[in-house]
Amino acid sequence: MAQQHLDPRNSTAVAADALAGYLRAQATEFLRALRTHRETGGGAAGGAEESTDAALALRRSARRISGTLHTFRPLLDADWSESLHPELAWLSGTLGREHAYAARLDRLVAALNRLSGAAAALPSQAGAPVGGRTAGAERAGPSGPGGTGTRAPATPDRGNLTIGAAKAGALLDRQLTLARTRAHSAALQALGSSRFHAVADSVAVLASEVPLTPTAAALDLRPLAAAAHDRLRDAVAGLPLLTAGHPYNAEALIHGLSPDTAPHPQDAPWHQVRLLLRLHRYALEVLHPQAVPVDVRLLAAGEALNRHRDASEAASAAAAAARTPRIAPATAYALGVLHADQRHEVEAARFAFQQSWQKETVSTS
Amino acid sequence: MAQQHLDPRNSTAVAADALAGYLRAQATEFLRALRTHRETGGGAAGGAEESTDAALALRRSARRISGTLHTFRPLLDADWSESLHPELAWLSGTLGREHAYAARLDRLVAALNRLSGAAAALPSQAGAPVGGRTAGAERAGPSGPGGTGTRAPATPDRGNLTIGAAKAGALLDRQLTLARTRAHSAALQALGSSRFHAVADSVAVLASEVPLTPTAAALDLRPLAAAAHDRLRDAVAGLPLLTAGHPYNAEALIHGLSPDTAPHPQDAPWHQVRLLLRLHRYALEVLHPQAVPVDVRLLAAGEALNRHRDASEAASAAAAAARTPRIAPATAYALGVLHADQRHEVEAARFAFQQSWQKETVSTS
């Protein structure tokens, strides 16, 4: 079904009405999530899980509105669009951080367990609690920490670990839980700020009236969606896919020990493709609001890029933890193994993307 | 050409004469290498490279004689064969160790350079000198250390490295050069021992007269070669090839942080296949003395298994170095990255073996 949707040029003309309808629907979702967030106490004890879900839903709508303003800019009132766009980016960035730190800790703890041959212990290792209950509870199994109110075992099971791995886990737990707690506070503060209230007011207006340009009604959305698709294709064409498609090319760990502590520059083009793929997906949602879920291979490519981003950031977190002063050599060793393991994951994600993208282009060309 | 040789059953009957001819030829090679070794001073200054080559040639013949005694045991005088076999194994083990330590250091230094983004500096990084000149000189480029008599830069170029990687390189250099020097002395001592003289005397007899059993002349070599082939196939059937053929399965680094410091138990069946593949190759050499080189895919499979063994041992050396007391955390971190990198190489080698073996069985079935 979704096959012909991949290239926006393949569909019939889509009028500006579809854009207005999509933006109204997303604005409505945004307001609903905001209401839920307020009703569940905004992260206070007793409602943290629903509140976290609501914050993620808020972010989901903010990203879609933001991406749509970007792709279909010529059809929208320029002043309005240009003032709202950066505010939505700020909001989704602020709301996403807590979840990202929790997921990063989960990923690193899972890797430490796997590297210690304790993979069976994984399902109960989801995130540590912030604000009463654990934001990671939805990922935990029946025996997980959700709802108990006690501290979740975010550090690996020491019985199966060397002291180095156990200490590395404890260090990462400390650092990432601290970062997560700060992100949680920052998100709560942001949601109470006058800056956020201005965004919410703009979105409330959008829910009833989308500020289209006077000529928008006569325009076809497809060329703009196609341009978003072209930007994605061009960016993908710039990726080293030939190398990525060759298993065990050992590219991702190059510079693994370089003195540069900045994020890997080789990852940046992949992160950029990830963003462009998301914009393409949102443009398809505008054009084909009924075509949910979108093409599974597009989702697979997006998931590979998410995994790439997650592994890249987890590898950086392990490297950063290794620069903590006065750690034991065994801890540093475990963090080195962990860093390399996550860079290996980065390489695996590139391979997975290359495989799904290849299928993509073969079947749509 | 060599395609039909893979299964020994596919050739015409081969008489015991071929076995005697092969053993005589290998014994002659052994004696020639021994003479060269003595003439070049057995590792004293001025002739180390030729001497090292001669020692490797000695080992090459010793392994072939030993493997042939094993595969075609029923055709050979039992007492003689059973007394010579362990002595040849002792000799080839003793002679191989120096080279193995040198190659391990080369591999680890090359990896440290690659991980530091200094891969261009590789060709001049071949082994450190033992006994005057470097055994690694034949691997060095025109700018390499061979023949200069000065110390080769076995540690990585510090300009491109973090202190951690540079210190890790220096530590590995120290440990593996010491091990290599000891292995060199042990090999020289072995070659001067009465135990070795007894082996050399046995091989000298073998060069003129192979002690076949009275019934050997009437026997066909093929069933015994086929049995060696079957042992290889059975061992390969026990390998986790399905997993190995799935890129980035992350199997090789499981237990990468386990408290067990022994070599990875998961590597043992692969090492076993490596030995059985070599026995199969030697049996083919007996059956088809003119078919040189043997099938390229058989060589590719063997090379993948050599790489597997080398990476496995290099990973262990990095882990062992990390257990050196009082090292800096940055050094330990670099060794952790290096260990994981080499385990990644182990996984890559398994994938390469799976690929070549698949071709093998498809084309010969």
Side-chain angles (χ1 to χ4, degrees):
Chain A
M1 167 193 77
Q3 196 50 40
Q4 70 278 22
H5 299 152
L6 286 173
D7 189 336
R9 272 168 288 247
N10 294 346
S11 59
T12 53
V14 178
D17 276 0
L19 173 62
Y22 183 80
L23 282 172
R24 270 197 302 269
Q26 291 303 325
T28 304
E29 282 299 320
F30 183 100
L31 298 171
R32 188 191 329 235
L34 180 57
R35 209 160 41 239
T36 307
H37 191 266
R38 282 179 180 149
E39 282 165 4
T40 54
E49 192 177 342
E50 294 83 347
S51 173
T52 301
D53 289 350
L56 290 177
L58 258 183
R59 183 164 167 260
R60 186 179 182 278
S61 308
R63 280 205 315 217
R64 279 171 168 73
I65 298 170
S66 167
T68 305
L69 298 192
H70 180 81
T71 302
F72 299 102
R73 197 165 16 192
L75 277 76
L76 295 159
D77 180 80
D79 287 350
W80 171 83
S81 162
E82 275 161 28
S83 67
L84 185 56
H85 190 258
E87 296 305 288
L88 289 168
W90 160 75
L91 181 63
S92 72
T94 305
L95 292 177
R97 226 152 279 146
E98 178 187 355
H99 179 74
Y101 285 121
R104 200 166 305 157
L105 181 58
D106 283 356
R107 166 177 271 274
L108 286 165
V109 167
L112 277 174
N113 277 295
R114 175 169 45 79
L115 295 172
S116 308
L122 277 184
S124 63
Q125 303 292 345
V130 168
R133 289 174 66 198
T134 77
E138 75 278 9
R139 289 185 301 279
S143 64
T148 63
T150 59
R151 201 166 187 299
T155 48
D157 174 6
R158 285 161 201 241
N160 289 312
L161 291 189
T162 52
I163 299 303
K167 280 189 172 174
L171 178 61
L172 289 166
D173 185 26
R174 214 154 53 234
Q175 297 186 340
L176 290 172
T177 301
L178 178 63
R180 182 185 170 185
T181 306
R182 284 186 180 149
H184 182 74
S185 305
L188 283 188
Q189 205 172 351
L191 291 175
S193 70
S194 56
R195 185 176 181 183
F196 174 70
H197 288 302
V199 177
D201 288 348
S202 293
V203 174
V205 171
L206 186 63
S208 57
E209 187 196 334
V210 175
L212 297 174
T213 58
T215 56
L219 292 174
D220 180 9
L221 297 182
R222 289 180 306 162
L224 293 168
H229 192 211
D230 289 347
R231 284 190 290 273
L232 170 63
R233 290 218 156 164
D234 291 351
V236 171
L239 293 177
L241 287 188
L242 204 64
T243 299
H246 183 75
Y248 299 106
N249 55 71
E251 268 304 301
L253 200 53
I254 281 190
H255 305 289
L257 287 175
S258 99
D260 194 359
T261 57
H264 271 267
Q266 62 168 247
D267 297 354
W270 299 84
H271 295 334
Q272 179 64 13
V273 166
R274 186 180 152 270
L275 298 181
L276 292 173
L277 185 68
R278 205 162 70 189
L279 289 175
H280 169 57
R281 191 151 58 83
Y282 295 163
L284 290 180
E285 288 180 6
V286 173
L287 262 56
H288 310 283
Q290 310 308 326
V292 177
V294 297
D295 190 277
V296 288
R297 282 157 312 167
L298 203 61
L299 285 181
E303 269 161 25
L305 293 171
N306 287 346
R307 183 176 157 212
H308 180 273
R309 191 263 327 259
D310 292 347
S312 164
E313 292 183 347
S316 294
R323 289 190 290 273
T324 307
R326 288 180 299 282
I327 56 173
T331 311
Y333 177 79
L335 289 168
V337 172
L338 188 58
H339 171 78
D341 173 70
Q342 291 300 303
R343 292 303 305 172
H344 190 180
E345 272 280 294
V346 164
E347 196 179 299
R350 291 181 189 169
F351 176 72
F353 175 80
Q354 189 272 345
Q355 298 281 302
S356 58
W357 190 260
Q358 202 170 38
K359 281 184 201 156
E360 198 77 59
T361 47
V362 166
S363 59
T364 63
S365 65
Chain B
M1 168 191 81
Q3 196 50 39
Q4 70 277 22
H5 299 150
L6 286 173
D7 189 335
R9 274 166 287 246
N10 294 344
S11 58
T12 52
V14 178
D17 276 359
L19 174 62
Y22 183 81
L23 282 172
R24 270 196 303 270
Q26 292 302 327
T28 305
E29 282 298 320
F30 182 100
L31 297 172
R32 188 192 330 235
L34 181 57
R35 207 157 45 237
T36 307
H37 191 267
R38 280 177 181 151
E39 281 165 6
T40 54
E49 192 177 343
E50 293 84 347
S51 172
T52 301
D53 288 350
L56 290 176
L58 257 183
R59 182 163 167 261
R60 188 179 180 277
S61 306
R63 280 206 312 218
R64 277 170 170 73
I65 297 169
S66 166
T68 305
L69 297 192
H70 180 79
T71 302
F72 299 101
R73 196 166 19 194
L75 279 76
L76 295 158
D77 180 82
D79 287 349
W80 170 82
S81 164
E82 275 161 31
S83 67
L84 184 55
H85 190 257
E87 294 307 286
L88 288 169
W90 159 75
L91 181 64
S92 72
T94 305
L95 292 178
R97 227 153 276 147
E98 177 188 358
H99 180 74
Y101 285 122
R104 200 166 306 158
L105 180 58
D106 283 358
R107 166 176 271 273
L108 286 165
V109 167
L112 277 174
N113 277 295
R114 175 168 47 77
L115 295 172
S116 308
L122 276 185
S124 63
Q125 304 291 347
V130 167
R133 289 172 67 196
T134 78
E138 74 280 9
R139 288 185 301 278
S143 64
T148 64
T150 59
R151 200 169 187 297
T155 48
D157 173 7
R158 285 163 202 241
N160 290 312
L161 290 189
T162 52
I163 301 301
K167 280 188 170 170
L171 178 61
L172 289 166
D173 184 27
R174 214 154 52 233
Q175 296 186 340
L176 290 172
T177 301
L178 178 63
R180 181 183 169 185
T181 306
R182 284 185 179 149
H184 182 76
S185 305
L188 283 188
Q189 206 172 351
L191 291 175
S193 69
S194 57
R195 185 175 180 185
F196 173 71
H197 289 302
V199 177
D201 286 348
S202 293
V203 175
V205 172
L206 186 62
S208 57
E209 187 194 334
V210 175
L212 297 174
T213 57
T215 56
L219 292 175
D220 179 9
L221 298 183
R222 290 180 307 162
L224 293 169
H229 192 211
D230 289 346
R231 283 191 290 273
L232 170 63
R233 290 218 155 165
D234 290 350
V236 170
L239 293 177
L241 287 188
L242 204 64
T243 299
H246 183 75
Y248 300 108
N249 55 70
E251 267 304 302
L253 201 53
I254 282 190
H255 305 289
L257 288 175
S258 100
D260 194 359
T261 58
H264 271 266
Q266 60 169 250
D267 297 354
W270 299 84
H271 296 333
Q272 180 64 13
V273 167
R274 185 179 152 271
L275 299 181
L276 292 173
L277 185 66
R278 204 162 70 190
L279 289 176
H280 169 56
R281 192 151 57 82
Y282 296 163
L284 290 181
E285 288 180 6
V286 172
L287 262 57
H288 311 282
Q290 310 307 325
V292 175
V294 294
D295 190 277
V296 286
R297 284 157 310 168
L298 202 61
L299 285 181
E303 271 161 24
L305 293 171
N306 287 345
R307 184 176 156 212
H308 180 274
R309 191 261 329 258
D310 292 347
S312 165
E313 291 183 346
S316 294
R323 289 190 290 272
T324 308
R326 287 181 299 282
I327 56 172
T331 311
Y333 176 78
L335 289 169
V337 172
L338 188 58
H339 172 78
D341 173 71
Q342 292 300 303
R343 292 304 305 173
H344 190 181
E345 272 280 296
V346 164
E347 197 178 299
R350 290 180 190 170
F351 177 72
F353 175 80
Q354 189 272 346
Q355 297 281 302
S356 59
W357 190 260
Q358 201 170 39
K359 282 184 200 156
E360 197 76 60
T361 46
V362 166
S363 60
T364 63
S365 64

